Short mmCIF file of all heavy atoms in Angstrom, two decimals:
data_model
loop_
_atom_site.label_atom_id
_atom_site.label_comp_id
_atom_site.label_asym_id
_atom_site.label_seq_id
_atom_site.Cartn_x
_atom_site.Cartn_y
_atom_site.Cartn_z
N PRO A 1005 32.37 101.95 -205.94
CA PRO A 1005 31.45 101.39 -206.96
C PRO A 1005 32.01 100.05 -207.49
O PRO A 1005 31.21 99.15 -207.77
CB PRO A 1005 31.42 102.46 -208.03
CG PRO A 1005 31.63 103.76 -207.29
CD PRO A 1005 32.66 103.35 -206.23
N ALA A 1006 33.30 99.94 -207.66
CA ALA A 1006 33.85 98.67 -208.17
C ALA A 1006 33.64 97.54 -207.20
O ALA A 1006 33.37 96.41 -207.63
CB ALA A 1006 35.38 98.87 -208.43
N GLU A 1007 33.79 97.81 -205.88
CA GLU A 1007 33.52 96.75 -204.88
C GLU A 1007 32.05 96.35 -204.94
O GLU A 1007 31.73 95.17 -204.89
CB GLU A 1007 33.92 97.27 -203.49
CG GLU A 1007 35.40 97.38 -203.30
CD GLU A 1007 35.84 98.18 -202.12
OE1 GLU A 1007 35.10 99.14 -201.72
OE2 GLU A 1007 36.93 97.89 -201.55
N TRP A 1008 31.16 97.34 -205.03
CA TRP A 1008 29.73 97.07 -205.09
C TRP A 1008 29.40 96.22 -206.30
O TRP A 1008 28.63 95.31 -206.24
CB TRP A 1008 28.93 98.33 -205.07
CG TRP A 1008 27.46 98.14 -205.33
CD1 TRP A 1008 26.71 98.82 -206.21
CD2 TRP A 1008 26.56 97.21 -204.71
NE1 TRP A 1008 25.41 98.37 -206.22
CE2 TRP A 1008 25.27 97.37 -205.29
CE3 TRP A 1008 26.74 96.22 -203.74
CZ2 TRP A 1008 24.20 96.60 -204.89
CZ3 TRP A 1008 25.64 95.49 -203.35
CH2 TRP A 1008 24.40 95.68 -203.96
N ARG A 1009 29.98 96.54 -207.44
CA ARG A 1009 29.72 95.78 -208.68
C ARG A 1009 30.10 94.33 -208.49
O ARG A 1009 29.39 93.41 -208.96
CB ARG A 1009 30.46 96.40 -209.89
CG ARG A 1009 29.72 97.58 -210.48
CD ARG A 1009 30.31 98.00 -211.83
NE ARG A 1009 31.69 98.45 -211.75
CZ ARG A 1009 32.11 99.63 -211.44
NH1 ARG A 1009 31.21 100.57 -211.11
NH2 ARG A 1009 33.37 99.97 -211.37
N ARG A 1010 31.25 94.06 -207.86
CA ARG A 1010 31.68 92.68 -207.62
C ARG A 1010 30.64 91.87 -206.81
O ARG A 1010 30.31 90.72 -207.15
CB ARG A 1010 33.05 92.65 -206.90
CG ARG A 1010 34.20 93.09 -207.74
CD ARG A 1010 35.51 93.00 -206.99
NE ARG A 1010 35.77 91.61 -206.64
CZ ARG A 1010 36.29 91.26 -205.43
NH1 ARG A 1010 36.64 92.17 -204.53
NH2 ARG A 1010 36.49 89.98 -205.14
N VAL A 1011 30.08 92.51 -205.80
CA VAL A 1011 29.05 91.87 -204.96
C VAL A 1011 27.81 91.74 -205.75
O VAL A 1011 27.15 90.65 -205.79
CB VAL A 1011 28.85 92.63 -203.66
CG1 VAL A 1011 27.67 92.09 -202.89
CG2 VAL A 1011 30.10 92.63 -202.79
N HIS A 1012 27.35 92.78 -206.40
CA HIS A 1012 26.10 92.81 -207.15
C HIS A 1012 26.10 91.81 -208.31
O HIS A 1012 25.03 91.25 -208.59
CB HIS A 1012 25.87 94.24 -207.66
CG HIS A 1012 24.52 94.44 -208.25
ND1 HIS A 1012 23.39 94.42 -207.49
CD2 HIS A 1012 24.14 94.68 -209.52
CE1 HIS A 1012 22.37 94.66 -208.25
NE2 HIS A 1012 22.76 94.82 -209.52
N ARG A 1013 27.22 91.61 -208.90
CA ARG A 1013 27.35 90.63 -209.99
C ARG A 1013 27.60 89.20 -209.50
O ARG A 1013 27.91 88.30 -210.31
CB ARG A 1013 28.46 91.04 -210.96
CG ARG A 1013 28.16 92.31 -211.71
CD ARG A 1013 29.30 92.72 -212.53
NE ARG A 1013 29.05 93.97 -213.26
CZ ARG A 1013 29.97 94.74 -213.79
NH1 ARG A 1013 31.27 94.37 -213.75
NH2 ARG A 1013 29.65 95.87 -214.39
N SER A 1014 27.59 88.97 -208.20
CA SER A 1014 27.85 87.69 -207.57
C SER A 1014 29.25 87.16 -207.85
O SER A 1014 29.47 85.97 -207.88
CB SER A 1014 26.81 86.64 -207.98
OG SER A 1014 25.52 87.04 -207.59
N GLU A 1015 30.19 88.09 -208.02
CA GLU A 1015 31.59 87.68 -208.22
C GLU A 1015 32.23 87.42 -206.85
O GLU A 1015 33.25 86.69 -206.82
CB GLU A 1015 32.36 88.84 -208.93
CG GLU A 1015 31.86 89.01 -210.35
CD GLU A 1015 32.45 90.28 -210.96
OE1 GLU A 1015 33.31 90.95 -210.39
OE2 GLU A 1015 32.02 90.61 -212.13
N CYS A 1016 31.68 87.93 -205.81
CA CYS A 1016 32.18 87.60 -204.45
C CYS A 1016 31.07 87.92 -203.44
O CYS A 1016 30.10 88.60 -203.71
CB CYS A 1016 33.43 88.44 -204.08
SG CYS A 1016 33.13 90.19 -203.80
N ALA A 1017 31.25 87.31 -202.25
CA ALA A 1017 30.32 87.61 -201.11
C ALA A 1017 30.68 88.97 -200.54
O ALA A 1017 31.85 89.39 -200.65
CB ALA A 1017 30.43 86.51 -200.06
N VAL A 1018 29.74 89.60 -199.89
CA VAL A 1018 30.06 90.94 -199.28
C VAL A 1018 31.18 90.76 -198.24
O VAL A 1018 31.97 91.63 -198.06
CB VAL A 1018 28.80 91.57 -198.69
CG1 VAL A 1018 28.30 90.83 -197.43
CG2 VAL A 1018 29.04 93.02 -198.34
N THR A 1019 31.22 89.60 -197.56
CA THR A 1019 32.28 89.33 -196.57
C THR A 1019 33.62 89.03 -197.17
O THR A 1019 34.60 88.91 -196.43
CB THR A 1019 31.82 88.16 -195.68
OG1 THR A 1019 31.22 87.16 -196.55
CG2 THR A 1019 30.82 88.58 -194.67
N GLU A 1020 33.71 88.95 -198.50
CA GLU A 1020 35.01 88.77 -199.17
C GLU A 1020 35.61 90.08 -199.64
O GLU A 1020 36.68 90.07 -200.24
CB GLU A 1020 34.86 87.81 -200.35
CG GLU A 1020 34.51 86.39 -199.87
CD GLU A 1020 34.25 85.44 -201.04
OE1 GLU A 1020 33.37 85.77 -201.86
OE2 GLU A 1020 34.97 84.41 -201.10
N LEU A 1021 34.90 91.18 -199.45
CA LEU A 1021 35.49 92.46 -199.88
C LEU A 1021 36.73 92.80 -199.06
O LEU A 1021 36.77 92.42 -197.87
CB LEU A 1021 34.44 93.60 -199.72
CG LEU A 1021 33.27 93.58 -200.66
CD1 LEU A 1021 32.30 94.70 -200.28
CD2 LEU A 1021 33.69 93.71 -202.10
N ASP A 1022 37.63 93.48 -199.66
CA ASP A 1022 38.89 93.86 -198.96
C ASP A 1022 38.69 95.16 -198.23
O ASP A 1022 39.36 96.17 -198.48
CB ASP A 1022 40.03 93.95 -199.97
CG ASP A 1022 41.39 94.11 -199.29
OD1 ASP A 1022 41.51 93.73 -198.12
OD2 ASP A 1022 42.30 94.64 -199.96
N VAL A 1023 37.80 95.15 -197.27
CA VAL A 1023 37.56 96.30 -196.36
C VAL A 1023 37.44 95.78 -194.91
O VAL A 1023 36.94 94.68 -194.70
CB VAL A 1023 36.30 97.12 -196.79
CG1 VAL A 1023 36.43 97.74 -198.15
CG2 VAL A 1023 35.03 96.27 -196.69
#
Side-chain angles (χ1 to χ4, degrees):
E1007 289 166 329
W1008 171 231
R1009 279 192 298 277
R1010 290 182 61 220
V1011 173
H1012 189 67
R1013 293 177 182 163
S1014 299
E1015 294 170 6
C1016 72
V1018 70
T1019 41
E1020 294 176 303
L1021 290 177
D1022 189 22
V1023 296

